[in-house]
Amino acid sequence: MRELLLHICCAPCSVACLAQLAEEGITPTGFWYNPNIHPYQEYKARRDTLIDYAQKIGLDLIIRDEYGLQKFTKAVSGDIPNRCAYCYAVRLDETARTAKEQGFKAFSTTLTVSPYQNHDLIRKIGEKAAEKYGVEFRYYDFAPRFREGQQKAREAELYMQKYCGCIYSEEDRYQKQIQKDRDQFNQ
Ligand code: SF4
């Protein structure tokens, strides 16, 4: 039985997680499933960066390719402030389902390397998916290694994204600029 299926949100975030797991003697299989990333060029850049990086470091990788702008926006548009719960659930559900189907002991996610993500919610959702499919969810707090991992990712010249993933987070990124433009053009 294989040990751990690790959902990977992007290559830069995987750096610290894989280092920590290696120190614990765990060699996971990576799993790409991120229909929350928009627009398509951004999705493609992150997916292909991970494919190249996995090849470079010899990481086994399963790709579940699904670009999902319309499905995602339809699902969250009624409650945009709480969209992350849906986003975590979709990704962890598919990771748990795949872990079970492919005979892994457990699954986890690189999402918990980010101090900006809601760890309690990820844990809760991961445990729910674990119960649904009968496969263990392992919560790792990778966040203390976040800065170090990002630095190593820059040194490895990985593509570094500028926002979390969905179009709403892209809008958040430009919020100050949007306000500034509004003030300038609507005087
Ligand atoms: S902000 Fe990030 S975690 Fe939240 S819904 Fe958007 S992509 Fe998903």
Side-chain angles (χ1 to χ4, degrees):
M1 190 174 239
R2 290 187 280 180
E3 177 80 15
L4 183 72
L5 185 65
L6 180 68
H7 165 259
I8 298 181
C9 59
C10 61
C13 283
S14 75
V15 174
C17 308
L18 292 170
Q20 183 168 322
L21 291 171
E23 282 170 20
E24 294 179 23
I26 298 168
T27 308
T29 294
F31 182 59
W32 168 267
Y33 179 64
N34 296 293
N36 58 307
I37 299 169
H38 323 126
Y40 183 67
Q41 287 303 324
E42 180 71 22
Y43 173 85
K44 185 177 181 312
R46 296 191 202 185
R47 181 198 62 199
D48 293 350
T49 299
L50 178 62
I51 291 170
D52 290 347
Y53 183 58
Q55 244 167 18
K56 194 172 151 194
I57 64 171
L59 171 75
D60 282 341
L61 185 65
I62 297 171
I63 298 286
R64 169 96 161 76
D65 196 43
E66 184 182 307
Y67 178 67
L69 174 64
Q70 293 197 24
K71 194 173 164 192
F72 186 89
T73 49
K74 264 185 210 154
V76 304
S77 61
D79 189 9
I80 292 168
N82 290 312
R83 65 191 182 273
C84 300
Y86 169 82
C87 183
Y88 298 151
V90 161
R91 291 187 280 172
L92 292 180
D93 188 273
E94 184 57 20
T95 310
R97 193 193 65 75
T98 306
K100 181 69 181 177
E101 181 188 86
Q102 302 212 13
F104 285 88
K105 249 198 247 171
F107 70 100
S108 191
T109 177
T110 59
L111 285 168
T112 51
V113 77
S114 170
Y116 307 109
Q117 299 290 358
N118 184 335
H119 284 223
D120 288 344
L121 189 57
I122 291 168
R123 190 176 199 158
K124 208 168 124 196
I125 289 171
E127 283 164 1
K128 205 171 153 197
E131 208 180 303
K132 179 175 169 189
Y133 292 101
V135 60
E136 181 195 347
F137 172 68
R138 286 195 200 148
Y139 169 78
Y140 292 97
D141 183 9
F142 296 118
R145 305 177 81 132
F146 179 65
R147 304 273 162 224
E148 175 198 326
Q150 295 288 300
Q151 184 54 36
K152 283 190 176 148
R154 268 185 220 100
E155 286 163 17
E157 299 184 338
L158 298 180
Y159 168 69
M160 308 289 290
Q161 65 270 12
K162 305 287 188 295
Y163 57 96
C164 190
C166 62
I167 51 162
Y168 308 104
S169 60
E170 196 262 3
E171 184 185 40
D172 289 346
R173 175 193 173 202
Y174 288 113
Q175 212 42 256
K176 278 191 188 145
Q177 184 67 51
I178 292 166
Q179 187 58 51
K180 214 172 130 199
D181 289 355
R182 194 180 294 150
D183 294 346
Q184 183 190 338
F185 294 118
N186 296 342
Q187 274 176 2

